Amino acid sequence: MQKTNLLNAFLLGTMGIAVAGAAVAQDPEQRTKSAPTRQSDDPAAQRPMDVTAEKFDGTVFHAQVLLDRAGFSPGVIDGMAGISFEWALKGFQEARGMPVTGKLDQPTRAALLQDRAPSTRRLRIDESDARGPFGPVPKEPEQQAKLERLAYRNLLEKVAEKFHTSPATIIALNSPDMVLKAGTVLRLPNVLPASRSYEGVKPDIAQLLSDLNISGSQPKAGRVVVDKSDKVVRVLGEGDRLLAQFPATMGSEKDPLPLGNWKVNTVAYNPPFKYQPQLFWDVEDTEKEQMLPPGPNGPVGVVWIDLNREHIGIHGTNSPETIKRAESHGCVRLTNWDAARLTRMIEDGMRVVFQA
């Protein structure tokens, strides 16, 4: 049996709706301490790694989709169990008052399946998505600074981020020979939001949220806890009830997470990035400062949540697959879709606790 057929045999799907277009928004200059990821502009290095039928688990995949829909992010939805999946299960179990095992046991599966959503939907790529903009991401900040936007490299990368997954997973769910263009129908993770009504934001920001399949209906936080011990960001409500949880990358030995009580100053969408080599121990101080353009492949992704600690914030990323598996320069890094979702739960002045 071919790989694609074997994978699809795990999955359920129904006919869906068109994929909405991408947003291009502008925000004020942000001064951050989050080092840019130096990405290769070698086309060979941009090919997604293979997702084989042997690694893919349909039960895990469906659970990842349902956890994402419930607000307990497993990170990249790829059908493979790992540390982010384990902690997403723990968060879901805690929120539901279940034994916290981190295992996809029968009671946890039953609780997840109360959301009767199938794991995938068949969706048609819309013209507004297909026209981009797309382009290469140069390796050096000096070259990145010459661009108008650090856009998605191609349509596959854009659709993968929109559906909280990876290019390799989309290939595995469909066909390695698929041709992506307007009108192409794909089988994709079923993370379509219940609502696309975003009160209190400008139209371009609403479009950005919609482009990342963020629901307009989100619980409101009382405070946010960034926990270094398990590398998760917890959203707590009244009575410290756990409302949502996201895997995160936070700090390193040379740039540890600044423990303490902070608060949200402002939220910026699609921020540019002030590249200041002197802030980064792993960058030569002789390099020139650069103002890098906004975009999903920028160092802080599409969201910057500014805190009242200089150079420190909660932000998105240009490398979602590295979340919880890498280090940062003191900031808290989430996937772009998780960072965007968090912005709908918080407000200016909200308490943010960094703890060990």
Side-chain angles (χ1 to χ4, degrees):
M1 182 181 292
Q2 292 182 346
K3 177 178 70 174
T4 301
N5 291 336
L6 181 59
L7 288 168
N8 286 345
F10 285 116
L11 306 173
L12 298 174
T14 58
M15 293 305 293
I17 61 174
V19 178
V24 180
Q26 300 294 329
D27 277 285
E29 171 185 332
Q30 296 298 307
R31 296 178 181 270
T32 71
K33 193 181 179 185
S34 180
T37 300
R38 300 202 170 194
Q39 298 172 321
S40 173
D41 55 358
D42 177 2
Q46 298 171 16
R47 297 183 189 127
M49 62 182 182
D50 184 40
V51 175
T52 66
E54 289 75 21
K55 294 179 181 179
F56 186 97
D57 186 316
T59 300
V60 170
F61 180 91
H62 198 180
Q64 288 175 326
V65 169
L66 296 176
L67 286 164
D68 182 284
R69 291 169 61 89
F72 294 87
S73 173
V76 176
I77 297 172
D78 58 7
M80 294 184 282
I83 188 171
S84 294
F85 179 57
E86 177 185 347
W87 278 99
L89 287 170
K90 287 182 177 181
F92 178 83
Q93 291 164 339
E94 178 184 342
R96 297 302 188 275
M98 306 172 70
V100 179
T101 65
K103 305 294 184 183
L104 186 58
D105 51 33
Q106 190 56 42
T108 305
R109 288 190 65 191
L112 284 169
L113 288 170
Q114 290 180 17
D115 178 350
R116 300 177 63 84
S119 58
T120 63
R121 299 285 296 271
R122 294 188 65 83
L123 304 169
R124 189 181 307 276
I125 295 178
D126 187 75
E127 288 185 5
S128 59
D129 261 341
R131 62 174 171 257
F134 304 114
V137 179
K139 179 179 179 181
E140 298 298 332
E142 183 178 0
Q143 297 302 314
Q144 293 179 7
K146 296 177 181 179
L147 302 176
E148 292 185 6
R149 181 171 172 80
L150 289 168
Y152 294 113
R153 295 180 180 85
N154 50 52
L155 180 56
L156 179 59
E157 185 180 58
K158 180 178 182 180
V159 174
E161 181 136 296
K162 187 183 188 78
F163 288 88
H164 310 177
T165 188
S166 68
T169 304
I170 292 178
I171 291 172
L173 293 177
N174 294 275
S175 167
D177 300 319
M178 63 187 178
V179 177
L180 263 64
K181 60 182 181 179
T184 298
V185 176
L186 296 175
R187 188 182 296 273
L188 296 164
N190 185 18
V191 295
L192 296 178
S195 167
R196 296 186 191 270
S197 177
Y198 309 103
E199 296 181 0
V201 300
K202 297 178 181 179
D204 57 348
I205 303 307
Q207 186 65 60
L208 183 151
L209 295 169
S210 180
D211 286 343
L212 289 171
N213 277 322
I214 305 303
S215 177
S217 177
Q218 298 291 343
K220 295 303 179 183
R223 67 186 177 113
V224 173
V225 175
V226 176
D227 198 322
K228 180 181 177 182
S229 67
D230 48 26
K231 297 182 180 179
V232 298
V233 173
R234 293 184 173 88
V235 180
L236 304 178
E238 186 176 350
D240 274 353
R241 177 172 172 261
L242 182 60
L243 302 177
Q245 181 179 289
F246 309 111
T249 293
M250 54 185 75
S252 65
E253 183 177 349
K254 291 184 178 292
D255 285 305
L257 186 73
L259 305 182
N261 294 305
W262 313 107
K263 67 178 181 180
V264 175
N265 280 338
T266 58
V267 174
Y269 297 92
N270 268 326
F273 179 80
K274 183 71 174 290
Y275 174 60
Q276 299 171 286
Q278 67 271 21
L279 295 179
F280 309 120
W281 61 267
D282 53 350
V283 177
E284 294 290 339
D285 289 348
T286 54
E287 289 195 26
K288 294 181 179 179
E289 291 190 2
Q290 305 287 346
M291 179 56 71
L292 306 187
N297 269 313
V300 296
V302 299
V303 168
W304 171 262
I305 300 173
D306 191 53
L307 304 179
N308 65 330
R309 168 70 185 251
E310 189 177 15
H311 305 308
I312 299 297
I314 302 173
H315 61 81
T317 184
N318 48 20
S319 301
E321 71 283 353
T322 67
I323 294 299
K324 210 175 173 69
R325 295 173 173 83
E327 295 181 333
S328 78
H329 287 76
C331 286
V332 179
R333 189 185 308 154
L334 309 176
T335 66
N336 278 338
W337 57 88
D338 286 341
R341 188 170 189 168
L342 179 60
T343 67
R344 301 302 296 162
M345 301 177 180
I346 62 175
E347 59 185 21
D348 291 355
M350 179 167 289
R351 183 184 176 200
V352 179
V353 179
F354 285 10
Q355 66 183 32

